[in-house]
Amino acid sequence: MNQVVRPLYALALTFWVGALWTVGGVVAPTLFAALSDRMLAGAIAGRLFSAVAWIGIGSAVYMLLCLFFQHGVSVLKSAVFWLVLTMLLCTLAAQFGIQPLLAQLKNQAFPREVMESVLRQRFSTWHGIASVLYVIQSALGGVLVVLEFGGTRR
């Protein structure tokens, strides 16, 4: 069983952190640089960030279950457990808290673009919070990769 579980754990971690870094560090900035329509770039980036969130939720649940089954309650003393849980909580806050709020602000601004409306400051503030959470997740993901694959475990 461990011959399947551990490699899938490694793939889940790689997929999650790789998606975070690729979309946040390469794809989204490229979209905004390449497309003259910022609304279109934002809409595409938003869908990609949502996909990354679902990848993260699935990966985190699998990883946390693996850690619990492998270590039992003693997993609560593990830095890896707390890193995965913190990343998951950031993902959940962004996906189910901040993203719906941003969508609501866009809808309230319609037919104008939200950045051209009176809701601009509120949207910018929440977008900034979402960005900070994403950077935190990406940094924690780097730490997690080093802990899991860099020879220093828990």
Side-chain angles (χ1 to χ4, degrees), residues 45-93:
R47 286 190 178 204
L48 290 168
F49 286 123
S50 182
V52 171
W54 285 108
I55 290 167
I57 292 165
S59 295
V61 168
Y62 178 78
M63 292 169 67
L64 290 170
L65 288 172
C66 286
L67 290 167
F68 259 111
F69 284 122
Q70 186 175 8
H71 302 287
V73 178
S74 68
V75 76
L76 298 174
K77 298 177 184 175
S78 165
V80 168
F81 170 82
W82 291 105
L83 285 169
V84 173
L85 184 61
T86 302
M87 290 174 67
L88 175 60
L89 293 174
C90 288
T91 300
L92 293 171

Side-chain angles (χ1 to χ4, degrees), residues 101-102 104-105 108 114-115 117-129:
L101 179 61
L102 292 175
Q104 180 184 25
L105 291 171
Q108 288 175 352
V114 71
M115 295 308 284
S117 74
V118 295
L119 301 170
R120 175 188 177 135
Q121 185 59 45
R122 191 166 170 212
F123 182 88
S124 293
T125 299
W126 282 108
H127 188 275
I129 292 168

Side-chain angles (χ1 to χ4, degrees), residues 18-32:
L20 280 166
W21 291 354
T22 302
V23 171
V26 179
V27 177
T30 301
L31 283 171
F32 283 97

Side-chain angles (χ1 to χ4, degrees), residues 32-48:
F32 283 97
L35 297 176
S36 58
D37 185 344
R38 295 188 61 76
M39 282 184 63
L40 177 60
I44 295 169
R47 286 190 178 204
L48 290 168

